[in-house]
Amino acid sequence: MKIGDILITPEQIETRVKALAAEISRDYQTVEQPLIFVGMLKGAFIFMADLVRHITVPTQMDFLILSSYGDATKSSGVVRMLYDLQVDIVNRDVILVEDIVDTGLTLHYISRELELRSPKTLKICSLLSKDECRKIDIEPDYVGFSVPDRFVVGYGLDYAQQYRNLPYIGVLEED
Ligand code: 5GP
């Protein structure tokens, strides 16, 4: 495997992440209790770390781990919770932070799961979206970039646990 096209540069990511943080901070200006950011590990860890540093309203953070694709590059559609939240989200404003929405199956599963816990509000912020790949009609409230239907890595996203450290988003290609 090797990295082919670079779709999004570090500078583009930085600019967009700051803009998303400004938009979210504006939307939650009047929150009564700290806004809870829920990061989906492992893919969203870098995005979440950069995003929250530009948020200007009070925040709390927690993380979730769902089962991944394994080493495959296509969704199995089967999702399980491997590590659950430690905070109680009842009657709280929550933003779920995702790395990428592809078919929408993962997002559908996790947003239904979190809604059952009666948050005051639940919104979704995803760094990337493959708009043309949805199998379920679900859209994040905040999206960094739309990307084509290609397997991308970098800035937290992996292939077989590699490439997460790349500072850009690139397309993975066969050698
Ligand atoms: P969905 O359930 O929407 O099909 O897939 C969501 C999850 O699949 C993401 O959180 C991510 O872990 C993984 N995924 C989907 N497309 C890609 C991709 O292009 N690259 C990487 N690294 N992971 C992806």
Side-chain angles (χ1 to χ4, degrees), residues 8-149:
I8 311 168
T9 66
E11 294 73 25
Q12 289 171 318
I13 294 173
E14 193 185 339
T15 304
R16 187 72 189 114
V17 169
K18 280 186 186 163
L20 281 175
E23 192 183 340
I24 293 171
S25 300
R26 252 194 325 271
D27 291 351
Y28 289 87
Q29 238 169 26
T30 57
V31 276
E32 285 156 17
Q33 294 190 74
L35 177 57
I36 302 179
F37 283 86
V38 172
M40 304 264 284
L41 296 176
K42 300 170 193 167
F45 85 106
I46 293 182
F47 173 43
M48 170 115 155
D50 283 348
L51 182 74
V52 293
R53 276 182 282 184
H54 297 290
I55 297 288
T56 55
V57 297
T59 65
Q60 287 180 3
M61 277 151 243
D62 204 349
F63 297 92
L64 276 177
I65 304 181
L66 299 185
S67 56
S68 71
Y69 290 3
D71 290 351
T73 56
K74 273 290 151 195
S75 178
S76 60
V78 181
V79 184
R80 279 182 306 125
M81 179 95 73
L82 299 181
Y83 175 84
D84 204 343
L85 291 181
Q86 307 297 298
V87 293
D88 188 358
I89 61 169
V90 175
N91 206 24
R92 298 291 299 272
D93 294 295
V94 178
I95 296 194
L96 189 61
V97 181
E98 254 280 31
D99 53 356
I100 184 164
V101 183
D102 180 2
T103 62
L105 289 166
T106 307
L107 204 52
H108 176 71
Y109 167 85
I110 192 60
S111 47
R112 207 181 39 188
E113 190 68 30
L114 295 184
E115 288 288 6
L116 288 174
R117 303 178 190 188
S118 308
K120 186 171 166 194
T121 62
L122 174 65
K123 286 196 183 182
I124 292 140
C125 175
S126 185
L127 175 69
L128 306 174
S129 170
K130 291 184 185 168
D131 297 336
E132 58 191 278
C133 298
R134 289 296 187 282
K135 288 189 180 156
I136 284 192
D137 188 17
I138 185 165
E139 293 307 325
D141 302 278
Y142 304 97
V143 177
F145 304 90
S146 292
V147 290
D149 183 15

Side-chain angles (χ1 to χ4, degrees), residues 150-161:
R150 299 165 80 184
F151 196 81
V152 295
V153 294
Y155 196 67
L157 289 94
D158 76 311
Y159 172 68
Q161 301 302 330

